[in-house]
Amino acid sequence: MRLTAAIIAARATAALSRGLRRGGGTALPGLVAERVDPGLERTLAARLGQGSALVTGTNGKTTTARLVRGICREAGLRPVANREGSNMMRGVAAALAESASWDGRFRAPGKRVGLFEVDEATMPLVARAVEPRAVLFTNLFRDQLDRYGEVETVATLWRTALRSFPAEVTLVLNADDPAVASLSDVALGRVVLYGVDDETQAGGPLEHAADARWCYACGAELEYTVVFYGHLGHWRCPGCRRARPTPDVAVSSLMTADDGMSVTLTTPTGEVTVRLPLAGLYNAYNAAAAAALAVALGIETGAIERGLAGATAAFGRQERLTVDGRAVQVILAKNPAGVNQVIRTITADGAPKHLAVFLNDDIADGRDISWIWDVDFELLSGNVASLVVSGRRAWDMALRLKYAGLGERPDVEHDAALALRRAIDATPEGGTLYVVPTYTAMLDARNILGRWAGRGAFWEGDG
Amino acid sequence: MPALSEPERSAGPVEEPALSGPERSAGPVEGTLRLAHLYPKLMNIYGDRGNIMCFERRCRGRDIAFELTELSLGDAFDPAAYDLVFVGGAQDAEQRRVADDLRDVKGEALREYVEGDGVMLAVCGGYQLMGAHYRSADGAQLPGVGLLDLWTEHPGPNARRFIGNVVIEWEGETLVGFENHGGRTHLGPRARPLGSVVTGFGNNGGDGGEGAVYRNLYGTYLHGSLLPKNPHFADHLIALALAKRNGDVRLAPLDDMVEEQAHSEALHLATRRSIIRRGG
């Protein structure tokens, strides 16, 4: 009874909030459903015939979860997934409530699999409620220190949660991130590892954003034979001899192609080569992560290949729109490690780029903006054809970019629409404008650009 | 929150630089600023790199040579080799390792440096370590190096963390930044606050003081990074640092248009009442 009431309430809220065109209507329905029936996630998750998998970590959650969804569909499964950006418990509740029928049953229950992207700090709570078959940890970077606290706080939270996981849970871990790979020390069940073997992708010395420089177990400074980005690479601890474990799923080669890349993955069941419409090494990690989770779920190689090949960009993650004859690409900026990867990807071909950078300091962006000083914006120097700076903390960003050598007289425009207009006008027809916003600025920018590009409202962008 | 009264703010001892030589040059200087950055890999959590970049940029812009030395665990500190010392903030685990090194390796030399009016800036975790001790949320006591007459105590895991934009009044001007600390810092009689809180929490959320000063050692919770958008404070430290070997210095003005805009934007956002508090 209560469950039905919760589902009805969630659906009504979702419909209403979409009708009012408010923020994609992602959080509220779950909140309402949880209020009506607090045990809803547990009840509904238990009815998913294929169980659930969680995707957590600092960067790559949304894209990876999206890739896994595509793979599951190719494997004939019917995923139940939360919408991007709603990765707290209420987002999971909303996804379950909206996918179930009025009586709390799923159509084709035997093919149903829950795929939930969850916030790093919320993961233990969600895991207790939905009792997942597998949990994927992408990476652990410095992110919104005002919200999550220190990196070590999150790592400790994860280790504590893992100790209470049943042995049936498979962990999918990034072998190249020492903070994530070390979670296998406390794993009670099976572990599937993924990583990058292709050493030609090395990114040089440790960046300023590198965090896990120290062995969590013995405190020694880690040594690297290859650093890919941030603290991801082929690492070993000279103190206690822990070292990067050999991945089960590995990126054995990566080749940049027009509008994307070609990635070859080695898996336990064979090699897979796919062309992805996504660029950048970080997306190769996302592809490897998705394949590793699919392996953990027992999905065959053919479905992995087809699922990855059919991928499209997630909302605000290298999503492409066309406005007034210019290609506009929106790439979310979240934290130093992520932005460093975005910059490397944008500047890879050496041609000067047109940019609009947005810095907000709302809770979802991180109220503390000091992280911009840990980003290697210096890599943009000499690679910028035009630049507009916007967002609530536009002048802080302008100052950071001035330090990076991008000019003493930056073009600052606080109004998002005016800033985007100016940036588009500064981009020649046929050219590409890169819009790099923080989270809440991304929602605004995406809405404005979507309107100009004649696309539907933004919640339809993430299918 | 009551602001500190004027006499209280200026009560502490501010001594003249001890080693000012007979040939004081009043004009723009062309010297060298030798900066020691302590524990750059361990203590770098809140964009502290921006402070180092600021020192460097504001020296080079005036043809003042800039030499940066990074000192980590185990490296000795030579009090005569530097004009300016910087230490930033860290995670708890790293802070413990630094505390050991400060006590066993660098402590005495740093004391000699500070007592000899050496200029130093300590931010956040580095600031806490300059005091007598830090008691963490679980009650563990971490001894500090004791260069500043203060101590810091975390009231426990359920206590409110002091997080947010902060503005303080310093020498009649404003300093803007962001604070994020669980520990409450209390000053003894031999340290005076760096400034008085205009908005934010400051040292302990109670007495209206923020940061601490003793001789030329400055400690503060403000990051953001602190110095790039507070160029007047950066210049104050640079001038103090150069004065030791060059006599009184007058720094040539720089083009600070963007710096000043960033300062006033931060000031505006911190001091208006935050109406929009929507979540993610």
Side-chain angles (χ1 to χ4, degrees), chain A residues 7-46:
Chain A
I7 291 168
I8 291 171
R11 287 195 172 176
T13 314
L16 188 68
S17 111
R18 261 174 226 149
L20 296 172
R21 312 217 142 203
R22 290 182 52 90
T26 53
L28 205 55
L31 214 58
V32 169
E34 272 191 313
R35 187 63 61 85
V36 179
D37 180 2
L40 163 130
E41 305 90 1
R42 174 176 297 278
T43 314
L44 292 180

Side-chain angles (χ1 to χ4, degrees), chain A residues 127 131-133 161-170 187-190:
Chain A
E131 297 183 351
R133 279 170 69 193
L162 291 187
R163 287 196 184 92
S164 65
F165 273 22
E168 295 77 51
V169 182
T170 301
L188 301 173
R190 177 178 167 222

Side-chain angles (χ1 to χ4, degrees), chain A residues 27 85 88 90 142 145-147 149-153 208 210-211 213-215 218-221 360-364 367-378 391-400 402-405 407-410 412 414 439-440 443-444, chain B residues 40-42 44-55 57-58 72-73 90-95 97 161 163-165 176-180 223-225 227-230 254-263 265-267 269-270 272 274 276-280:
Chain A
M88 312 298 268
R90 54 183 181 258
R142 189 180 292 202
L145 293 161
D146 55 313
R147 184 162 140 207
E150 301 164 345
V151 168
E152 188 47 39
T153 311
H208 293 99
D211 281 309
R213 290 184 163 122
W214 318 94
C215 175
C218 76
E221 184 168 359
N360 277 0
D361 66 350
D362 223 322
I363 290 166
R367 293 185 54 218
D368 182 358
I369 54 162
S370 60
W371 63 271
I372 63 174
W373 293 93
D374 288 324
V375 177
D376 296 324
F377 283 113
E378 282 69 16
R392 190 129 43 107
R393 301 303 291 256
W395 282 108
D396 265 283
M397 182 55 89
L399 180 55
R400 176 67 190 90
K402 170 183 167 175
Y403 267 66
E408 306 255 333
R409 288 284 175 276
V412 172
H414 284 91
Y439 190 78
T440 63
L443 298 181
D444 290 345
Chain B
K41 286 188 194 170
L42 284 156
N44 68 352
I45 195 164
Y46 296 117
D48 285 323
R49 187 165 72 106
N51 292 318
I52 303 297
M53 291 161 75
C54 180
F55 283 131
R57 188 179 178 93
R58 300 190 76 78
S72 195
L73 299 176
Q91 306 195 49
D92 278 350
E94 274 109 43
Q95 206 147 312
R97 304 168 53 147
R161 205 171 161 84
I163 303 180
N165 290 307
V176 294
F178 196 90
E179 62 184 326
N180 183 352
H223 60 267
S225 301
L227 296 178
K229 59 188 163 198
N230 294 291
L254 296 174
D255 178 351
D256 282 338
M257 190 280 275
V258 181
E259 281 80 351
E260 280 158 20
Q261 291 283 356
H263 184 96
E265 185 177 81
L267 191 66
L269 289 169
R272 69 158 198 186
S274 182
I276 312 154
R277 279 276 165 98
R278 62 200 160 103

Side-chain angles (χ1 to χ4, degrees), chain B residues 95-146:
Chain B
Q95 206 147 312
R96 272 192 288 281
R97 304 168 53 147
V98 166
D100 291 345
D101 188 76
L102 279 173
R103 187 190 57 218
D104 302 336
V105 181
K106 299 186 183 60
E108 275 323 298
L110 267 177
R111 182 178 306 280
E112 188 185 329
Y113 176 80
V114 169
E115 293 297 334
D117 289 316
V119 186
M120 178 166 179
L121 174 63
V123 173
C124 210
Y127 167 45
Q128 294 174 337
L129 285 177
M130 292 300 113
H133 71 260
Y134 175 79
R135 201 186 67 200
S136 59
D138 57 13
Q141 189 114 332
L142 187 67
V145 70

